[in-house]
Amino acid sequence: MPDIRVFSDSPAVARAAADDIVAAARANTDAGRPFSLVLSGGSTPKLLYQLLAAEPYRSRVDWPNVEIYFGDERAVPPEHADSNFKMANEALLSHVPLKPENVHRMEGERDPTEAAIAYGRMLKARFGDGGPDITLLGMGDDGHTASLFPGTPAVSETHHRCFAQFVEKSTTGPSWRITLTAPFINRSARVLALITGASKAGRLKEVLHGPRDPQRLPIQLVQPSPGRMEWLLDTAAAAQLPC
Ligand code: 6PG
């Protein structure tokens, strides 16, 4: 059975995710271990990032102990309106006392293939065969997650941790994307998929209750082992799921 929590609206989803992140970060600090968090792009996580940057959440996290990574990036410079780093930086990263060397952005301004190779090497150096503590994901209306778009080569990638590809039908139009691969995402101790809004309801039903078809529904590839996949939904996104 999928691990699903349904909340009244998107602010409630963001609060639940913030509570989970604060608790997990504190547990690592108490145990003397760094806490690694992979951020997702798109619009849904912005509320969560803004919550974490403000009280009462901000001062409950030992930010110098937190390592930030990204699930995907658009091939644009970090100051570009489409940059996932820009959104995360403005909503969260610039407001909390992270160590600059602990913020690992994908370099969207570089040649995408070179940027993906560099990111993969960095992940290998930092995690070895392991993975992050929490990976945040969203889901597009078409069933993509991170920049694993339906029918694209990244969906079939089994070896690399990070991959670059040109995507004809992406949310920002035909463009290059850099993305974590499913095998790396699946090394996460926990994946929190934040999915809100009525436009996701039909696809989410297919993803969770339809036949397995990850080429068409790439988010079905996310099955962390031995980690946990947790779905945090609002009532609109969950509307077509069986009770
Ligand atoms: C990106 C993403 C992407 C996103 C989904 C959902 O860079 O676009 O990381 O996978 O999470 O497209 O986007 P929304 O939250 O905007 O619906």
Side-chain angles (χ1 to χ4, degrees), residues 194-214:
L194 274 52
I195 301 172
T196 62
S199 68
K200 313 271 170 91
R203 197 66 74 194
L204 189 62
K205 181 185 174 193
E206 270 190 273
V207 165
L208 291 171
H209 296 284
R212 185 173 160 79
D213 186 2

Side-chain angles (χ1 to χ4, degrees), residues 171-242:
T171 44
T172 49
S175 53
W176 278 88
R177 295 293 189 105
I178 305 163
T179 186
L180 297 186
T181 59
F184 183 75
I185 293 170
N186 284 337
R187 293 179 185 175
S188 309
R190 291 172 72 185
V191 174
L192 303 184
L194 274 52
I195 301 172
T196 62
S199 68
K200 313 271 170 91
R203 197 66 74 194
L204 189 62
K205 181 185 174 193
E206 270 190 273
V207 165
L208 291 171
H209 296 284
R212 185 173 160 79
D213 186 2
Q215 283 294 333
R216 197 170 66 79
L217 303 168
I219 198 169
Q220 287 184 332
L221 289 171
V222 183
Q223 295 179 316
S225 175
R228 288 191 346 245
M229 174 67 163
E230 302 169 54
W231 303 83
L232 276 60
L233 316 174
D234 70 353
T235 45
Q240 295 188 30
L241 301 184

Side-chain angles (χ1 to χ4, degrees), residues 2 5 40 44 61 75 82 103 107 122 130 151-152 159 166 181 225:
R5 284 178 277 164
S40 55
T44 308
V61 175
D82 288 343
V103 177
E107 295 171 295
M122 179 276 297
T152 59
H159 179 63
F166 187 79
T181 59
S225 175

